[in-house]
Amino acid sequence: MLLAILFSLLGSFQLSAGHFPRACASFQNLLEKECCPPWKGDGSPCGQLSGRGSCQDILLSDAPSGPQFPFTGVDDREAWPSVFYNRTCQCSGNFMGFSCGRCKFGYWGPNCSQKRVLVRRNIFDLSVSEKDKFLAYLTLAKHTISADYVIPTGTYDQMKNGSTAMFNDINIYDLFVWMHYYVSRDTLLGGSEIWRDIDFAHEAPGFLPWHRLFLLLWEEEIREITGDGNFTVPYWDWRDAERCDICTDEYMGGRHPTNPDLLSPASFFSSWQIICSRLEEYNSRQALCDGNPEGPLLRNPGSHDTARTSRLPSSADVEFCLSLTQYESGPMDKTANFSFRNTLEGFASPVTGIADASRSSMHNALHIYMNGTMSQVQGSANDPIFLLHHAFVDSIFEQWLRRHRPLQEAYPEANTPIGHNRESYMVPFIPLYKNGDFFISSRDLGYEYSHLQDSDLGFFQSYIEPYLEQARRIWPWLVGAALVGAALAAALVGFTRLLCRRKRKQVPEEKQPLLLGKEDYSSLLHQSRL
Protein backbone atom coordinates (compact mmCIF):
# COMPACT_ATOMS: atom_id res chain seq x y z
CA MET A 1 0.00 0.00 0.00
CA LEU A 2 2.87 2.35 0.83
CA LEU A 3 4.36 1.84 -2.64
CA ALA A 4 0.99 2.53 -4.27
CA ILE A 5 0.66 5.83 -2.37
CA LEU A 6 4.21 6.82 -3.27
CA PHE A 7 3.90 6.10 -7.00
CA SER A 8 0.59 7.94 -7.12
CA LEU A 9 2.16 11.00 -5.51
CA LEU A 10 5.26 10.91 -7.71
CA GLY A 11 3.02 10.88 -10.75
CA SER A 12 0.94 13.89 -9.75
CA PHE A 13 2.98 16.24 -7.58
CA GLN A 14 3.47 19.95 -8.21
CA LEU A 15 6.80 21.63 -7.64
CA SER A 16 6.83 23.88 -4.58
CA ALA A 17 8.74 26.04 -2.15
CA GLY A 18 11.09 25.95 0.72
CA HIS A 19 14.18 29.26 1.92
CA PHE A 20 16.70 31.07 -0.33
CA PRO A 21 14.31 32.16 -3.09
CA ARG A 22 15.32 31.10 -6.60
CA ALA A 23 13.76 34.32 -7.87
CA CYS A 24 16.26 36.29 -5.75
CA ALA A 25 19.39 34.23 -6.46
CA SER A 26 20.69 36.11 -9.52
CA PHE A 27 23.75 38.33 -9.32
CA GLN A 28 21.47 41.29 -10.13
CA ASN A 29 19.34 40.64 -7.02
CA LEU A 30 22.44 40.20 -4.90
CA LEU A 31 24.05 43.38 -6.18
CA GLU A 32 20.83 45.36 -5.70
CA LYS A 33 20.23 43.58 -2.33
CA GLU A 34 16.55 43.25 -3.11
CA CYS A 35 14.25 40.21 -2.85
CA CYS A 36 10.74 41.29 -3.90
CA PRO A 37 9.54 38.73 -6.47
CA PRO A 38 6.23 39.16 -8.31
CA TRP A 39 3.18 37.29 -7.02
CA LYS A 40 1.94 34.92 -9.71
CA GLY A 41 -1.64 36.03 -9.11
CA ASP A 42 -1.24 39.54 -10.54
CA GLY A 43 2.39 39.77 -11.66
CA SER A 44 3.24 42.68 -9.37
CA PRO A 45 6.09 42.64 -6.83
CA CYS A 46 4.81 41.21 -3.53
CA GLY A 47 1.26 41.19 -4.97
CA GLN A 48 1.05 44.94 -4.41
CA LEU A 49 -1.69 45.46 -7.02
CA SER A 50 -3.90 43.04 -5.08
CA GLY A 51 -3.10 44.58 -1.71
CA ARG A 52 -1.09 41.60 -0.51
CA GLY A 53 2.10 43.47 0.36
CA SER A 54 4.83 45.80 -0.82
CA CYS A 55 8.60 45.92 -1.22
CA GLN A 56 10.11 47.67 1.79
CA ASP A 57 13.42 48.27 3.53
CA ILE A 58 14.27 45.76 6.24
CA LEU A 59 14.29 47.30 9.72
CA LEU A 60 16.87 45.57 11.90
CA SER A 61 16.75 45.63 15.68
CA ASP A 62 19.55 47.57 17.38
CA ALA A 63 19.25 45.62 20.66
CA PRO A 64 22.73 44.44 21.74
CA SER A 65 23.77 40.79 21.71
CA GLY A 66 25.61 38.94 24.46
CA PRO A 67 29.41 38.52 24.64
CA GLN A 68 29.54 34.95 23.29
CA PHE A 69 30.45 36.03 19.74
CA PRO A 70 33.31 38.60 19.84
CA PHE A 71 33.37 39.43 16.11
CA THR A 72 31.59 41.81 13.78
CA GLY A 73 31.22 41.56 10.03
CA VAL A 74 32.78 38.11 9.56
CA ASP A 75 29.68 35.90 9.21
CA ASP A 76 26.91 36.16 6.59
CA ARG A 77 24.32 35.33 9.26
CA GLU A 78 25.00 38.43 11.35
CA ALA A 79 22.07 40.89 11.24
CA TRP A 80 20.24 38.46 8.97
CA PRO A 81 19.52 38.87 6.07
CA SER A 82 21.22 42.24 5.48
CA VAL A 83 24.40 40.76 3.99
CA PHE A 84 22.33 39.41 1.09
CA TYR A 85 19.23 41.64 1.01
CA ASN A 86 18.07 44.88 2.61
CA ARG A 87 14.68 45.04 0.86
CA THR A 88 12.09 42.24 0.97
CA CYS A 89 8.33 41.81 0.69
CA GLN A 90 6.40 43.01 3.74
CA CYS A 91 3.03 41.26 3.61
CA SER A 92 -0.22 42.71 4.90
CA GLY A 93 -3.24 41.13 6.56
CA ASN A 94 -3.12 37.35 6.69
CA PHE A 95 -0.76 37.00 3.73
CA MET A 96 2.71 35.48 4.01
CA GLY A 97 5.59 34.23 1.85
CA PHE A 98 8.55 35.67 -0.03
CA SER A 99 6.11 37.11 -2.63
CA CYS A 100 3.11 37.31 -0.23
CA GLY A 101 1.54 34.43 -2.16
CA ARG A 102 0.69 32.25 0.84
CA CYS A 103 -1.46 32.49 3.95
CA LYS A 104 -0.22 33.07 7.47
CA PHE A 105 -0.05 30.04 9.70
CA GLY A 106 -3.55 29.15 10.84
CA TYR A 107 -5.35 30.72 7.86
CA TRP A 108 -6.45 29.39 4.49
CA GLY A 109 -8.71 30.17 1.54
CA PRO A 110 -8.23 32.32 -1.57
CA ASN A 111 -8.12 35.49 0.53
CA CYS A 112 -6.52 33.88 3.60
CA SER A 113 -9.57 34.85 5.63
CA GLN A 114 -10.59 31.47 7.02
CA LYS A 115 -9.19 30.46 10.40
CA ARG A 116 -8.43 26.84 11.21
CA VAL A 117 -6.62 24.70 13.80
CA LEU A 118 -5.16 21.32 12.75
CA VAL A 119 -4.16 18.59 15.19
CA ARG A 120 -0.75 16.90 15.45
CA ARG A 121 -1.18 13.32 16.65
CA ASN A 122 0.90 10.60 18.26
CA ILE A 123 2.38 8.45 15.49
CA PHE A 124 1.12 5.33 17.25
CA ASP A 125 -2.44 6.68 17.06
CA LEU A 126 -2.34 6.84 13.26
CA SER A 127 -4.12 4.16 11.29
CA VAL A 128 -2.01 1.94 9.03
CA SER A 129 -3.06 3.93 5.97
CA GLU A 130 -2.34 7.26 7.70
CA LYS A 131 1.08 6.05 8.81
CA ASP A 132 1.92 4.72 5.33
CA LYS A 133 0.82 8.01 3.81
CA PHE A 134 3.17 9.90 6.13
CA LEU A 135 6.10 7.65 5.12
CA ALA A 136 5.21 8.14 1.46
CA TYR A 137 5.15 11.92 1.93
CA LEU A 138 8.65 11.79 3.41
CA THR A 139 9.92 9.83 0.43
CA LEU A 140 8.17 12.18 -2.00
CA ALA A 141 9.86 15.19 -0.38
CA LYS A 142 13.21 13.41 -0.75
CA HIS A 143 12.59 13.01 -4.52
CA THR A 144 11.10 16.44 -5.33
CA ILE A 145 13.41 19.26 -6.40
CA SER A 146 12.28 22.60 -4.99
CA ALA A 147 11.05 24.89 -7.74
CA ASP A 148 11.17 28.00 -5.61
CA TYR A 149 14.33 27.65 -3.52
CA VAL A 150 18.04 26.99 -3.96
CA ILE A 151 20.95 26.81 -1.51
CA PRO A 152 24.13 28.94 -1.61
CA THR A 153 27.35 26.97 -2.06
CA GLY A 154 29.63 29.81 -1.05
CA THR A 155 29.76 32.73 1.34
CA TYR A 156 28.91 36.24 0.19
CA ASP A 157 32.62 37.00 0.11
CA GLN A 158 33.27 33.93 -2.02
CA MET A 159 30.53 35.16 -4.34
CA LYS A 160 32.64 38.31 -4.75
CA ASN A 161 30.08 40.37 -2.89
CA GLY A 162 27.25 39.11 -5.08
CA SER A 163 28.80 39.56 -8.52
CA THR A 164 29.16 35.76 -8.91
CA ALA A 165 26.08 33.78 -7.90
CA MET A 166 26.88 30.38 -6.34
CA PHE A 167 23.70 28.31 -5.82
CA ASN A 168 22.59 24.68 -6.22
CA ASP A 169 19.24 22.97 -6.68
CA ILE A 170 18.10 20.74 -3.82
CA ASN A 171 15.18 18.44 -3.01
CA ILE A 172 12.58 19.63 -0.52
CA TYR A 173 13.52 17.28 2.32
CA ASP A 174 17.24 18.09 2.00
CA LEU A 175 16.44 21.80 1.79
CA PHE A 176 15.34 21.63 5.42
CA VAL A 177 18.38 19.51 6.33
CA TRP A 178 20.56 22.20 4.77
CA MET A 179 18.77 24.95 6.70
CA HIS A 180 19.41 23.14 9.99
CA TYR A 181 23.08 22.76 9.01
CA TYR A 182 23.43 26.38 7.92
CA VAL A 183 21.90 27.88 11.06
CA SER A 184 24.24 25.90 13.34
CA ARG A 185 27.47 25.76 11.30
CA ASP A 186 30.76 27.18 12.55
CA THR A 187 31.92 30.64 11.51
CA LEU A 188 34.62 30.59 8.81
CA LEU A 189 37.24 33.18 9.72
CA GLY A 190 39.57 32.61 6.75
CA GLY A 191 42.68 30.52 6.30
CA SER A 192 42.29 27.60 8.68
CA GLU A 193 40.58 29.64 11.40
CA ILE A 194 37.04 28.94 12.56
CA TRP A 195 34.84 29.95 15.50
CA ARG A 196 32.75 27.15 17.00
CA ASP A 197 30.92 28.94 19.82
CA ILE A 198 28.06 30.15 17.66
CA ASP A 199 24.64 28.76 16.83
CA PHE A 200 21.60 30.70 15.67
CA ALA A 201 19.10 27.95 16.60
CA HIS A 202 20.51 26.17 19.67
CA GLU A 203 21.97 26.78 23.13
CA ALA A 204 19.99 30.02 23.62
CA PRO A 205 16.41 31.40 23.82
CA GLY A 206 15.66 30.96 20.10
CA PHE A 207 15.97 27.16 20.28
CA LEU A 208 12.25 26.52 20.77
CA PRO A 209 10.82 29.27 18.46
CA TRP A 210 13.27 28.35 15.67
CA HIS A 211 12.34 24.67 15.63
CA ARG A 212 8.65 25.59 15.93
CA LEU A 213 8.92 27.61 12.71
CA PHE A 214 10.99 24.84 11.09
CA LEU A 215 8.17 22.31 11.61
CA LEU A 216 5.47 24.75 10.48
CA LEU A 217 7.28 25.45 7.22
CA TRP A 218 7.98 21.74 6.68
CA GLU A 219 4.27 20.98 7.04
CA GLU A 220 3.49 23.77 4.55
CA GLU A 221 5.81 22.20 1.98
CA ILE A 222 4.25 18.76 2.37
CA ARG A 223 0.74 20.20 1.98
CA GLU A 224 1.85 22.04 -1.15
CA ILE A 225 3.44 19.09 -2.98
CA THR A 226 0.78 16.55 -1.99
CA GLY A 227 -2.36 18.68 -2.10
CA ASP A 228 -3.19 17.32 1.36
CA GLY A 229 -4.29 20.54 3.07
CA ASN A 230 -4.93 18.82 6.40
CA PHE A 231 -1.52 17.21 6.81
CA THR A 232 0.29 17.60 10.14
CA VAL A 233 3.54 16.06 11.31
CA PRO A 234 3.03 13.32 13.93
CA TYR A 235 4.99 13.24 17.19
CA TRP A 236 6.80 10.54 19.13
CA ASP A 237 6.01 10.61 22.86
CA TRP A 238 9.30 9.26 24.24
CA ARG A 239 8.51 9.73 27.94
CA ASP A 240 9.55 6.66 29.96
CA ALA A 241 10.59 4.77 26.82
CA GLU A 242 13.05 1.93 27.44
CA ARG A 243 14.07 1.67 23.79
CA CYS A 244 13.43 3.29 20.42
CA ASP A 245 9.97 1.86 19.81
CA ILE A 246 9.63 3.68 16.46
CA CYS A 247 12.87 2.08 15.18
CA THR A 248 11.10 -0.71 13.31
CA ASP A 249 10.58 -1.31 9.62
CA GLU A 250 6.88 -0.64 10.13
CA TYR A 251 7.72 2.91 11.23
CA MET A 252 11.07 4.73 10.95
CA GLY A 253 13.39 1.84 10.10
CA GLY A 254 14.76 -1.14 12.00
CA ARG A 255 18.35 -2.25 12.53
CA HIS A 256 20.38 -3.85 9.71
CA PRO A 257 20.86 -7.59 10.36
CA THR A 258 24.65 -7.53 9.77
CA ASN A 259 25.67 -3.91 10.35
CA PRO A 260 24.12 -2.32 13.48
CA ASP A 261 25.01 1.20 12.31
CA LEU A 262 22.80 0.92 9.21
CA LEU A 263 19.06 0.66 8.71
CA SER A 264 17.28 -2.52 7.69
CA PRO A 265 17.09 -3.07 3.90
CA ALA A 266 13.31 -3.46 4.37
CA SER A 267 13.03 0.19 5.44
CA PHE A 268 12.31 2.95 2.93
CA PHE A 269 15.01 5.03 4.61
CA SER A 270 17.82 2.48 4.09
CA SER A 271 18.42 3.91 0.60
CA TRP A 272 18.47 7.54 1.73
CA GLN A 273 21.65 9.53 1.26
CA ILE A 274 22.52 12.16 3.84
CA ILE A 275 24.01 15.63 3.27
CA CYS A 276 25.91 18.25 5.28
CA SER A 277 27.63 15.74 7.59
CA ARG A 278 31.34 16.34 6.80
CA LEU A 279 31.79 19.26 9.12
CA GLU A 280 35.54 19.17 9.61
CA GLU A 281 36.05 18.92 5.86
CA TYR A 282 33.96 22.07 5.30
CA ASN A 283 35.91 23.88 7.99
CA SER A 284 39.29 22.88 6.60
CA ARG A 285 38.26 24.00 3.11
CA GLN A 286 36.48 27.11 4.45
CA ALA A 287 33.50 25.95 2.41
CA LEU A 288 29.75 25.47 2.82
CA CYS A 289 27.81 22.25 2.45
CA ASP A 290 26.75 22.05 -1.20
CA GLY A 291 23.96 19.49 -0.75
CA ASN A 292 25.72 16.60 -2.49
CA PRO A 293 25.14 13.03 -1.16
CA GLU A 294 27.61 11.89 1.49
CA GLY A 295 26.59 8.33 2.37
CA PRO A 296 23.78 6.33 4.00
CA LEU A 297 21.72 7.28 7.02
CA LEU A 298 23.36 6.02 10.23
CA ARG A 299 21.58 4.99 13.41
CA ASN A 300 22.45 2.61 16.26
CA PRO A 301 20.02 3.40 19.09
CA GLY A 302 21.07 2.46 22.61
CA SER A 303 24.77 1.93 21.87
CA HIS A 304 25.67 5.48 22.91
CA ASP A 305 27.91 6.71 25.73
CA THR A 306 25.81 5.93 28.80
CA ALA A 307 28.08 8.05 31.01
CA ARG A 308 26.83 11.08 29.11
CA THR A 309 23.20 9.99 28.75
CA SER A 310 22.18 7.28 31.20
CA ARG A 311 18.52 6.96 30.09
CA LEU A 312 15.76 8.42 28.00
CA PRO A 313 13.70 11.20 29.61
CA SER A 314 10.96 10.29 32.07
CA SER A 315 7.54 11.76 32.77
CA ALA A 316 8.98 13.18 36.00
CA ASP A 317 11.70 14.95 34.01
CA VAL A 318 9.08 16.58 31.81
CA GLU A 319 7.01 17.65 34.82
CA PHE A 320 10.06 19.23 36.44
CA CYS A 321 10.74 21.22 33.26
CA LEU A 322 7.14 22.40 33.20
CA SER A 323 7.40 23.55 36.84
CA LEU A 324 10.19 26.02 36.03
CA THR A 325 8.71 29.51 35.88
CA GLN A 326 11.53 31.31 34.02
CA TYR A 327 11.77 30.84 30.28
CA GLU A 328 15.38 32.04 30.33
CA SER A 329 17.94 33.07 32.94
CA GLY A 330 21.50 34.27 33.57
CA PRO A 331 23.77 34.35 30.52
CA MET A 332 20.91 32.85 28.45
CA ASP A 333 23.15 30.19 26.93
CA LYS A 334 23.88 26.54 27.74
CA THR A 335 25.23 27.49 31.18
CA ALA A 336 21.88 28.98 32.33
CA ASN A 337 20.43 27.62 35.60
CA PHE A 338 16.70 27.19 36.36
CA SER A 339 15.88 28.05 32.74
CA PHE A 340 12.94 26.17 31.23
CA ARG A 341 14.51 26.44 27.76
CA ASN A 342 17.95 25.23 28.85
CA THR A 343 16.51 22.35 30.88
CA LEU A 344 14.21 21.20 28.08
CA GLU A 345 17.02 21.55 25.55
CA GLY A 346 19.07 19.24 27.76
CA PHE A 347 22.01 21.28 29.03
CA ALA A 348 20.65 21.48 32.60
CA SER A 349 19.58 18.66 34.90
CA PRO A 350 15.85 17.79 34.78
CA VAL A 351 16.10 17.03 38.50
CA THR A 352 17.77 20.20 39.80
CA GLY A 353 17.65 22.71 36.92
CA ILE A 354 21.41 23.28 37.29
CA ALA A 355 23.50 23.38 34.09
CA ASP A 356 25.77 20.36 33.69
CA ALA A 357 28.18 20.29 30.74
CA SER A 358 29.09 16.63 31.34
CA ARG A 359 25.57 15.26 30.83
CA SER A 360 22.96 15.39 28.08
CA SER A 361 19.30 15.09 29.04
CA MET A 362 15.80 15.80 27.69
CA HIS A 363 15.95 16.93 24.03
CA ASN A 364 19.70 16.32 23.79
CA ALA A 365 19.35 12.82 25.28
CA LEU A 366 17.30 11.60 22.31
CA HIS A 367 19.90 12.84 19.85
CA ILE A 368 22.74 11.16 21.75
CA TYR A 369 20.76 7.96 22.24
CA MET A 370 20.34 7.45 18.48
CA ASN A 371 24.13 7.24 18.13
CA GLY A 372 24.40 8.10 14.46
CA THR A 373 23.33 10.84 12.08
CA MET A 374 20.92 12.23 14.71
CA SER A 375 23.80 12.69 17.16
CA GLN A 376 25.56 15.35 15.09
CA VAL A 377 23.85 18.72 15.53
CA GLN A 378 24.42 20.16 12.08
CA GLY A 379 23.38 17.04 10.16
CA SER A 380 20.78 15.65 12.57
CA ALA A 381 17.75 16.61 10.45
CA ASN A 382 18.81 13.99 7.88
CA ASP A 383 17.12 11.37 10.07
CA PRO A 384 13.31 11.64 9.75
CA ILE A 385 13.03 10.76 13.45
CA PHE A 386 14.19 14.36 13.92
CA LEU A 387 10.72 15.57 12.91
CA LEU A 388 8.83 13.30 15.31
CA HIS A 389 11.22 14.14 18.14
CA HIS A 390 11.00 17.90 17.72
CA ALA A 391 7.23 17.79 17.36
CA PHE A 392 7.05 16.30 20.87
CA VAL A 393 9.60 18.81 22.21
CA ASP A 394 7.40 21.56 20.76
CA SER A 395 4.38 20.06 22.53
CA ILE A 396 6.21 20.40 25.86
CA PHE A 397 6.98 24.02 24.97
CA GLU A 398 3.30 24.52 24.20
CA GLN A 399 2.28 22.95 27.50
CA TRP A 400 4.62 25.34 29.35
CA LEU A 401 3.14 28.34 27.51
CA ARG A 402 -0.38 27.31 28.49
CA ARG A 403 0.52 26.63 32.08
CA HIS A 404 2.44 29.86 32.75
CA ARG A 405 0.88 32.16 30.15
CA PRO A 406 3.96 34.41 29.88
CA LEU A 407 3.92 37.90 28.44
CA GLN A 408 6.02 38.63 25.35
CA GLU A 409 8.49 40.33 27.70
CA ALA A 410 9.37 36.92 29.17
CA TYR A 411 11.31 36.30 25.97
CA PRO A 412 14.57 38.34 26.27
CA GLU A 413 14.73 41.52 24.23
CA ALA A 414 18.52 41.96 24.34
CA ASN A 415 21.89 40.55 25.44
CA THR A 416 21.22 37.00 24.26
CA PRO A 417 23.77 35.11 22.13
CA ILE A 418 23.84 36.54 18.61
CA GLY A 419 20.65 36.01 16.63
CA HIS A 420 18.50 35.07 19.63
CA ASN A 421 17.06 38.44 20.70
CA ARG A 422 13.28 38.78 20.58
CA GLU A 423 13.32 41.06 17.52
CA SER A 424 16.12 39.23 15.66
CA TYR A 425 15.17 37.67 12.33
CA MET A 426 15.65 33.91 12.29
CA VAL A 427 18.42 32.48 10.08
CA PRO A 428 18.14 31.46 7.22
CA PHE A 429 14.46 32.08 6.54
CA ILE A 430 13.21 34.28 3.72
CA PRO A 431 10.50 35.57 4.14
CA LEU A 432 11.51 37.00 7.48
CA TYR A 433 10.31 35.82 10.88
CA LYS A 434 11.28 37.07 14.34
CA ASN A 435 11.99 34.88 17.37
CA GLY A 436 9.29 36.60 19.38
CA ASP A 437 6.66 35.88 16.73
CA PHE A 438 6.60 32.23 17.82
CA PHE A 439 6.56 32.77 21.57
CA ILE A 440 2.79 32.37 21.46
CA SER A 441 0.28 29.54 21.74
CA SER A 442 0.25 26.98 18.94
CA ARG A 443 -3.49 27.56 18.56
CA ASP A 444 -2.70 31.10 17.39
CA LEU A 445 -0.46 29.52 14.74
CA GLY A 446 -3.12 27.08 13.56
CA TYR A 447 -2.23 23.81 15.22
CA GLU A 448 -2.92 21.76 18.34
CA TYR A 449 -1.61 18.56 19.95
CA SER A 450 -3.94 15.65 20.50
CA HIS A 451 -2.66 15.05 24.04
CA LEU A 452 -3.14 18.72 24.95
CA GLN A 453 -6.61 19.26 23.55
CA ASP A 454 -8.89 21.09 25.98
CA SER A 455 -10.97 19.15 28.47
CA ASP A 456 -12.40 20.17 31.81
CA LEU A 457 -9.30 18.84 33.51
CA GLY A 458 -7.05 20.41 30.91
CA PHE A 459 -8.72 23.77 31.36
CA PHE A 460 -8.36 23.52 35.14
CA GLN A 461 -4.68 22.59 34.90
CA SER A 462 -3.88 25.23 32.29
CA TYR A 463 -5.77 28.22 33.67
CA ILE A 464 -7.00 27.72 37.23
CA GLU A 465 -4.28 25.61 38.81
CA PRO A 466 -1.47 28.16 38.29
CA TYR A 467 -3.48 30.78 40.20
CA LEU A 468 -4.26 28.33 42.99
CA GLU A 469 -0.57 27.51 43.20
CA GLN A 470 0.25 31.20 43.54
CA ALA A 471 -2.41 31.50 46.23
CA ARG A 472 -0.88 28.57 48.12
CA ARG A 473 2.48 30.31 48.10
CA ILE A 474 1.19 33.66 49.37
CA TRP A 475 -1.61 32.56 51.74
CA PRO A 476 0.46 33.27 54.92
CA TRP A 477 0.92 36.84 53.66
CA LEU A 478 -2.78 37.10 52.86
CA VAL A 479 -3.77 35.95 56.36
CA GLY A 480 -1.28 38.34 57.92
CA ALA A 481 -2.54 41.21 55.81
CA ALA A 482 -6.14 40.39 56.77
CA LEU A 483 -5.29 40.45 60.49
CA VAL A 484 -3.42 43.73 60.19
CA GLY A 485 -6.28 45.19 58.13
CA ALA A 486 -8.84 44.10 60.75
CA ALA A 487 -6.78 45.67 63.54
CA LEU A 488 -6.45 48.94 61.61
CA ALA A 489 -10.17 48.98 60.84
CA ALA A 490 -11.05 48.45 64.52
CA ALA A 491 -8.69 51.22 65.53
CA LEU A 492 -10.17 53.56 62.91
CA VAL A 493 -13.75 52.86 64.07
CA GLY A 494 -12.79 53.53 67.69
CA PHE A 495 -11.02 56.75 66.76
CA THR A 496 -14.05 57.93 64.72
CA ARG A 497 -16.46 57.28 67.58
CA LEU A 498 -14.23 59.23 69.94
CA LEU A 499 -14.24 62.24 67.58
CA CYS A 500 -18.02 62.11 67.25
CA ARG A 501 -18.49 62.20 71.03
CA ARG A 502 -16.20 65.20 71.34
CA LYS A 503 -18.12 67.08 68.62
CA ARG A 504 -21.47 66.46 70.35
CA LYS A 505 -20.08 67.90 73.53
CA GLN A 506 -18.71 70.99 71.72
CA VAL A 507 -21.97 71.91 69.84
CA PRO A 508 -25.04 72.76 72.05
CA GLU A 509 -28.08 70.71 71.15
CA GLU A 510 -30.25 73.79 70.44
CA LYS A 511 -27.75 75.07 67.83
CA GLN A 512 -27.67 71.89 65.79
CA PRO A 513 -29.74 72.29 62.50
CA LEU A 514 -33.08 70.43 62.34
CA LEU A 515 -33.70 71.03 58.59
CA LEU A 516 -31.38 70.96 55.57
CA GLY A 517 -30.86 74.19 53.72
CA LYS A 518 -31.44 74.39 49.93
CA GLU A 519 -27.75 74.24 49.16
CA ASP A 520 -27.28 71.22 51.43
CA TYR A 521 -30.25 69.42 49.88
CA SER A 522 -28.99 69.99 46.35
CA SER A 523 -25.56 68.72 47.35
CA LEU A 524 -27.00 65.58 48.92
CA LEU A 525 -29.21 64.93 45.89
CA HIS A 526 -26.23 65.28 43.56
CA GLN A 527 -24.20 62.84 45.64
CA SER A 528 -27.03 60.30 45.73
CA ARG A 529 -27.34 60.42 41.93
CA LEU A 530 -23.63 59.85 41.57
Side-chain angles (χ1 to χ4, degrees), residues 2-18:
L2 179 57
L3 284 171
I5 295 172
L6 178 58
F7 289 139
S8 173
L9 289 169
L10 286 172
S12 62
F13 73 81
Q14 300 175 357
L15 293 178
S16 182

Side-chain angles (χ1 to χ4, degrees), residues 108 242 280 362 371 380 486:
W108 67 291
E242 296 182 358
E280 294 307 319
M362 298 305 292
N371 195 32
S380 58

Side-chain angles (χ1 to χ4, degrees), residues 4 38 90 103 224 227 239 260 273 332 399 422 450 460 463 483:
Q90 303 295 308
C103 298
E224 185 74 13
R239 289 174 296 183
Q273 289 282 304
M332 298 179 282
Q399 200 170 351
R422 188 195 312 153
S450 58
F460 177 82
Y463 297 98
L483 292 174

Side-chain angles (χ1 to χ4, degrees), residues 1-13 132-133 135-137 139-140 143-144 225 268:
M1 182 174 181
L2 179 57
L3 284 171
I5 295 172
L6 178 58
F7 289 139
S8 173
L9 289 169
L10 286 172
S12 62
F13 73 81
D132 286 348
K133 185 168 64 174
L135 299 180
Y137 286 178
T139 306
L140 176 64
H143 290 85
T144 303
I225 64 172
F268 260 72

Side-chain angles (χ1 to χ4, degrees), residues 164 194 227 273 371 387 416 487:
T164 302
I194 61 169
Q273 289 282 304
N371 195 32
L387 299 167
T416 69

Side-chain angles (χ1 to χ4, degrees), residues 171-370:
N171 69 63
I172 288 173
Y173 188 93
D174 286 351
L175 171 65
F176 284 84
V177 175
W178 181 88
M179 288 193 292
H180 193 263
Y181 147 79
Y182 187 80
V183 76
S184 56
R185 69 175 178 84
D186 300 330
T187 293
L188 308 176
L189 296 174
S192 60
E193 297 297 316
I194 61 169
W195 182 263
R196 298 181 187 274
D197 190 18
I198 186 170
D199 196 313
F200 289 80
H202 303 85
E203 304 180 10
F207 166 68
L208 292 168
W210 191 93
H211 287 84
R212 169 165 281 195
L213 173 60
F214 179 93
L215 291 177
L216 282 166
L217 292 171
W218 191 84
E219 286 176 329
E220 287 279 305
E221 295 307 310
I222 297 299
R223 292 174 193 141
E224 185 74 13
I225 64 172
T226 64
D228 184 351
N230 295 317
F231 170 78
T232 56
V233 64
Y235 62 86
W236 172 33
D237 185 346
W238 34 248
R239 289 174 296 183
D240 306 312
E242 296 182 358
R243 58 183 176 82
C244 179
D245 48 13
I246 58 172
C247 296
T248 65
D249 289 339
E250 182 184 1
Y251 287 94
M252 309 310 291
R255 198 186 302 268
H256 194 283
T258 60
N259 187 340
D261 291 330
L262 298 177
L263 298 186
S264 164
S267 165
F268 260 72
F269 308 114
S270 63
S271 62
W272 278 28
Q273 289 282 304
I274 64 174
I275 65 170
C276 301
S277 65
R278 299 174 181 172
L279 311 181
E280 294 307 319
E281 178 186 326
Y282 309 146
N283 288 341
S284 64
R285 293 193 292 112
Q286 295 281 298
L288 300 183
C289 165
D290 57 11
N292 285 321
E294 297 175 348
L297 186 62
L298 303 177
R299 190 195 301 154
N300 192 349
S303 60
H304 61 292
D305 181 3
T306 55
R308 183 175 175 186
T309 299
S310 59
R311 58 176 174 79
L312 292 176
S314 67
S315 298
D317 295 336
V318 172
E319 282 304 313
F320 177 83
C321 284
L322 292 172
S323 73
L324 295 170
T325 58
Q326 296 182 86
Y327 179 74
E328 199 53 88
S329 65
M332 298 179 282
D333 56 23
K334 62 182 177 181
T335 66
N337 296 323
F338 310 116
S339 155
F340 165 73
R341 186 276 315 164
N342 202 38
T343 306
L344 178 56
E345 191 170 357
F347 293 107
S349 167
V351 177
T352 65
I354 302 296
D356 184 354
S358 67
R359 307 297 294 271
S360 294
S361 58
M362 298 305 292
H363 153 266
N364 290 347
L366 268 293
H367 283 277
I368 299 301
Y369 177 84
M370 292 301 165

